[in-house]
Amino acid sequence: MKKLYSILSISVLLLVLANCTSTPKPWHADKPYNISPELLHIDSLMWLQPDSATRELSRFWANYNINSTDAFNKHYFNLLVSEALFKGGYPQSNRKRLLKAVDYFDTTDYWLSARAHYMNGVGFKAEDSVAEALYEYLHVLDIVDEHIPTPPHPRFMMLIHCRLGDLFSSQYMQEPAIICYENALKFNALGECMPFEKSTLLHELGYQYDKLQKYDTALYYYDEALSLMSDTSNISYQNLLFYIAMLDCTSGEDFDNGILKAKKLVSQIPEPHRDWRLSVYKTH
């Protein structure tokens, strides 16, 4: 536990000092390697069209002998596979290959090294190894700060700050979580992000203030997140309505009406999705 909180305290300082105002530039493959144009194309798809990137990776696997491919492209391929698995919601089944890519890119390419360490953090998080995951995410920020003054993809920087925010939130550390999500919002504003991601970040910020019992600020962020959602039938929209209803209860503004709203929302939820809402309802 001391190790974890020591890492957390260092991370807060790093996040405060993080430069979020630079204008990112695209990553150009100007390294002295014979980089596969197919993998570069897949990489470009990975940021905004991960499903298409996954299909292209499958085709690449079918058409090329990975074992005979040069070291750079072999590790590059495995890094892209780990990213595709993560974005598709699948377990990191190529973890051993990813760890080899981490070691390789540490000495060859800073940008791919940052991404490989990020994916290693994802793997640790999936194993509930919080301290190890946090260390990897902080190492990514250290690589960027030391070697990449203008990070190539704002969406990657948004994701790393968002993942840090998730970890802090899971440890009930709302103040550093808020710093992370605010930094994530700054990178989100630079572009290359999915439309729903800003709403998700605003929701997370509202939740942190909700936990701090700063209900007016929480409601502000919940309302802002709600205003960005055009689909009123999805689960995220219903989640926000539920949290707003619970705010009426916890803030004492309209307790009875809040209870009625929350009960109505829970009754409308399909059975597989009810458990977590009911647990939130009971804790409030």
Side-chain angles (χ1 to χ4, degrees):
M1 185 60 68
K2 288 182 179 180
K3 175 186 176 183
L4 172 60
Y5 280 93
S6 174
I7 294 173
L8 292 175
S9 63
I10 294 171
S11 69
V12 175
L13 177 60
L14 284 173
L15 288 168
V16 171
L17 296 177
N19 179 11
C20 295
T21 59
S22 58
T23 303
K25 299 177 182 178
W27 176 59
H28 294 289
D30 55 357
K31 306 297 180 182
Y33 307 107
N34 184 26
I35 301 178
S36 163
E38 291 87 354
L39 290 181
L40 284 175
H41 171 66
I42 293 170
D43 199 351
S44 68
L45 290 174
M46 188 68 70
W47 297 100
L48 294 177
Q49 300 177 47
D51 291 341
S52 298
T54 301
R55 288 193 294 271
E56 293 296 324
L57 278 171
S58 298
R59 293 192 185 100
F60 188 90
W61 173 265
N63 295 329
Y64 293 85
N65 183 355
I66 298 299
N67 291 326
S68 64
T69 302
D70 64 273
F72 186 97
N73 286 301
K74 182 176 181 179
H75 292 301
Y76 190 16
F77 172 81
N78 284 314
L79 172 59
L80 293 176
V81 168
S82 69
E83 292 188 7
L85 289 170
F86 169 54
K87 291 174 181 178
Y90 300 105
Q92 202 173 72
S93 55
N94 70 331
R95 185 143 181 73
K96 290 183 179 179
R97 296 187 184 94
L98 172 65
L99 293 176
K100 291 180 180 178
V102 170
D103 291 339
Y104 180 83
F105 289 127
D106 274 346
T107 59
T108 55
D109 188 287
Y110 292 126
W111 169 234
L112 294 180
S113 173
R115 289 168 63 184
H117 279 284
Y118 172 77
M119 292 312 306
N120 196 26
V122 168
F124 279 127
K125 180 63 170 62
E127 297 170 353
D128 291 325
S129 300
V130 176
E132 288 81 359
L134 186 58
Y135 175 82
E136 283 295 87
Y137 294 148
L138 292 174
H139 188 49
V140 171
L141 290 181
D142 191 38
I143 292 171
V144 171
D145 184 57
E146 183 177 357
H147 300 290
I148 315 172
T150 53
H153 288 283
R155 187 161 188 265
F156 175 76
M157 296 306 295
M158 181 200 73
L159 290 172
I160 188 66
H161 285 282
C162 186
R163 295 289 287 184
L164 278 165
D166 293 345
L167 281 178
F168 284 125
S169 181
S170 72
Q171 300 301 308
Y172 304 99
M173 301 183 71
Q174 271 62 57
E175 288 86 354
I178 287 170
I179 294 173
C180 294
Y181 291 127
E182 287 177 342
N183 281 344
L185 271 176
K186 292 176 183 178
F187 281 107
N188 177 275
L190 294 176
E192 294 187 1
C193 298
M194 304 292 189
F196 68 87
E197 288 172 332
K198 183 175 181 180
S199 176
T200 301
L201 291 171
L202 290 167
H203 185 173
E204 291 294 347
L205 273 169
Y207 182 69
Q208 304 313 313
Y209 283 107
D210 197 344
K211 298 296 286 185
L212 291 172
Q213 299 184 357
K214 295 181 179 180
Y215 300 124
D216 289 342
T217 306
L219 184 59
Y220 167 79
Y221 282 111
Y222 286 157
D223 285 341
E224 286 290 299
L226 205 62
S227 70
L228 296 177
M229 292 187 174
S230 57
D231 182 3
T232 60
S233 63
N234 65 56
I235 194 71
S236 297
Y237 186 88
Q238 293 176 354
N239 288 348
L240 277 166
L241 291 179
F242 181 81
Y243 278 110
I244 290 171
M246 294 310 301
L247 268 184
D248 289 340
C249 302
T250 53
S251 65
E253 292 292 328
D254 195 352
F255 183 84
D256 292 337
N257 190 41
I259 290 291
L260 289 174
K261 287 181 182 177
K263 286 183 176 179
K264 184 178 179 180
L265 285 166
V266 170
S267 70
Q268 295 172 348
I269 304 166
E271 193 65 35
H273 300 287
R274 283 191 187 179
D275 291 345
W276 76 267
R277 300 267 191 101
L278 291 172
S279 67
V280 172
Y281 177 80
K282 290 174 182 177
T283 57
H284 278 69

